[in-house]
């Protein structure tokens, strides 16, 4: 067995630093949960704009989707952290500075809101008109129809795709180390700088991310499948 | 008759872009009566039904439910103002509607479909609504299917659940939009049986249908629509037995085997 392969499989160094590395992973989870809430909320808002009857709203929604879906998350993170404060400071008249965590959540949340907007829009538009008319005929308000009839079906239909996007988002949280959010990748590079043994550290990080994503995604799929399928014949 | 008609349709017009679908339709429906609307495809009968509960907004003309105008209100100064959508939504509770495509909500069980609006719109407690829902399902002979999802029911069963859903709102009038047109002949009968029973218990019904036997045997009045107007109307014996209009005669001749 070659020396480098042996080294990469020897994860004792990773294990040695497990506390600090896992603390990093917890940070990943924080960023992920906050960014996912932002992405889903803003994404739903943008989707509702895109299907609005009034065209100015539709234009606004489309603009949102195109801007954020086509922006690389890497650049967005850097831009929000370093450029946005420079733009905002003169407008607001005081020195704006974002905590790296806040920048990370804003940047990733908005980028993924672009994807979520499209997923929501497709889901909402796939609901047959008749389901809405049946709601109206029963005296339901448009808001009730959205929350009681449309969204429960949309969530079931978009679950596989939405889950994929959450997986992408979780993996994207590793780039926040760029702006010094102390996530796991950040800790890995810190420890690497000290120990000069990158191979087991990066391998260990890759394995941990894989294990977390695989286990959680699989669990969600298994748990939701029956519930999701109940609407189909 | 001194009582206000349950439904009054007055000079109703509906235009889609350049196409005029309804050209001034007026009629009254009194409590407890069953009115069938027949006519060829494109004659405007479904549009007329959908205008009655404002699923389509009429281009002109009015619909009154027990004397209350659905599409407008009169303000303090005596001027007519279009009624806000939210209010129309609420007034529609009194008009139950059954669709050709059933339109059950697939993520809810049969009972869930039936009790949704009573809880959310009428503000009933879940317990009360469940008792009412069970009674409505029993009325359409589906008490044993309460916990099935629509995907597990046959077309006829789905349509009967849809009827139960309309009944649960305890509407003043039931509107049926070709309720059996997407069903096999066998399944058609189970739906028609339920509709007959409803008619026999005094429900007020407006039925758009191609089931001539049903129209003839169950309704108090038959209206034949042609080109957006009521071409012929009267008691079924008259419309089916001795139609005055040539078009009506032609239309009916296709159904007499």
């Amino acid at each position: 067995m070659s020396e480098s392969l042996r080294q990469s499989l020897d994860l004792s160094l990773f294990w040695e630093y497990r506390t600090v590395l896992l603390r990093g992973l917890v940070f990943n989870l924080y960023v992920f949960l906050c960014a996912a809430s932002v992405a889903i909320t803003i994404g739903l808002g943008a989707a509702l704009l895109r299907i609005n009857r009034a065209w100015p709203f539709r234009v606004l929604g489309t603009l949102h989707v195109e801007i954020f879906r086509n922006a690389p998350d890497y650049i967005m993170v850097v831009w929000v952290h370093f450029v946005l404060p420079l733009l905002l400071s003169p407008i607001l008249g005081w020195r704006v500075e974002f905590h790296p965590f806040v920048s990370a959540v804003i940047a990733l949340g908005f980028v993924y809101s672009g994807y979520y907007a499209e997923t929501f829009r497709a889901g909402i538009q796939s609901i047959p008109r008749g389901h809405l008319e049946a709601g109206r005929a029963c005296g339901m308000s448009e808001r009730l129809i959205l929350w009681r009839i449309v969204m429960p079906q949309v969530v079931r239909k978009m679950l596989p795709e939405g889950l994929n996007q959450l997986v992408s988002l979780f993996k994207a949280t590793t780039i926040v180390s760029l702006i010094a959010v102390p996530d796991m990748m950040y800790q890995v590079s810190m420890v690497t700088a000290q120990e000069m043994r990158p191979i087991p550290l990066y391998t260990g990080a890759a394995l941990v991310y894989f294990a977390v994503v695989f286990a959680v995604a699989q669990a969600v799929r298994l748990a939701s499948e029956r519930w999701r399928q109940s609407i189909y014949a | 008759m001194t009582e206000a008609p349950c439904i009054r349709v007055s000079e109703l017009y509906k235009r889609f872009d350049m196409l005029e679908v309804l050209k001034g339709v007026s009629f009254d429906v009194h409590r407890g009566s069953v009115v069938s609307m027949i006519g060829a495809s494109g004659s405007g009968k479904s549009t007329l039904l959908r205008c009655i509960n404002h699923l389509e907004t009429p281009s002109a003309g009015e619909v009154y439910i027990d004397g209350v105008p659905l599409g407008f209100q009169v303000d303090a100064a005596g001027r007519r103002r279009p009624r806000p959508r939210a209010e129309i939504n609420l007034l529609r509770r009194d008009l139950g509607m059954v669709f050709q495509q059933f339109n059950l909500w697939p993520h809810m069980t049969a009972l869930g479909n039936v009790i949704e609006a009573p809880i959310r719109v009428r503000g009933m407690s879940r317990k009360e609504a469940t008792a009412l829902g069970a009674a409505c399902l029993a009325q359409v002979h589906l008490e044993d299917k309460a916990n099935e999802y629509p995907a597990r029911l046959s077309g006829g069963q789905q349509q009967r659940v849809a009827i139960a859903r309309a009944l649960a709102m305890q509407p003043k009038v039931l509107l049926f939009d070709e309720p059996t047109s997407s069903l096999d002949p066998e399944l058609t009968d189970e739906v028609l049986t339920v509709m007959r029973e409803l008619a026999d218990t005094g429900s007020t019904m407006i039925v758009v249908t191609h089931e001539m036997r049903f129209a003839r045997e169950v309704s108090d009045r038959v209206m034949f629509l042609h080109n957006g107007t009521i071409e012929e109307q009267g008691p079924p014996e008259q419309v089916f037995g001795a139609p005055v209009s040539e078009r009506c005669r032609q239309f009916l001749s296709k159904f007499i085997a």
Side-chain angles (χ1 to χ4, degrees), chain A residues 130-208:
Chain A
H131 292 184
L132 318 185
E133 290 186 342
R136 289 187 197 122
C138 289
M140 293 171 82
S141 65
E142 297 302 312
R143 167 185 287 249
L144 257 183
I145 290 171
L146 178 68
W147 290 112
R148 295 292 305 168
I149 294 171
V150 176
M151 289 314 290
Q153 292 188 64
V154 168
V155 171
R156 284 169 173 86
K157 288 186 178 190
M158 66 182 267
L159 204 74
E161 200 189 330
L163 190 62
N164 284 342
Q165 283 164 1
L166 287 182
V167 167
S168 298
L169 175 59
F170 183 69
K171 294 194 292 187
T173 59
T174 54
I175 64 172
V176 301
S177 54
L178 266 178
I179 54 171
V181 176
D183 81 324
M184 187 154 86
M185 278 310 287
Y186 181 85
Q187 306 292 10
V188 163
S189 33
M190 288 297 123
V191 177
T192 305
Q194 246 171 43
E195 297 276 345
M196 302 303 271
R197 281 178 58 201
I199 294 174
L201 288 168
Y202 282 108
T203 309
L207 287 177
V208 168

Side-chain angles (χ1 to χ4, degrees), chain B residues 51-154:
Chain B
C51 279
I52 291 177
N53 70 356
H54 277 52
L55 278 181
E56 303 286 355
T57 309
S59 308
E62 281 103 39
V63 175
Y64 301 85
I65 308 169
D66 274 341
V68 177
L70 183 55
F72 69 92
Q73 56 196 352
V74 180
D75 68 8
R79 271 178 309 217
R80 283 181 172 201
R81 295 188 176 284
R83 210 180 268 283
R85 258 158 74 93
E87 265 183 56
I88 294 181
N89 276 337
L90 275 181
L91 285 171
R92 272 203 285 244
R93 293 178 300 190
D94 292 332
L95 305 172
M97 176 113 174
V98 176
F99 300 85
Q100 182 179 349
Q101 299 298 338
F102 328 139
N103 291 336
L104 291 182
W105 303 311
H107 58 295
M108 297 177 189
T109 60
L111 183 67
N113 268 275
V114 175
I115 65 176
E116 178 68 14
I119 292 174
R120 305 277 161 181
V121 179
R122 290 246 192 253
M124 259 184 210
S125 72
R126 180 161 291 272
K127 207 175 142 200
E128 233 181 318
T130 304
L132 170 70
C136 291
L137 283 173
Q139 223 177 327
V140 299
H141 315 298
L142 283 175
E143 52 274 54
D144 53 330
K145 300 287 185 192
N147 295 317
E148 292 286 359
Y149 283 92
R152 307 265 313 257
L153 299 174
S154 74

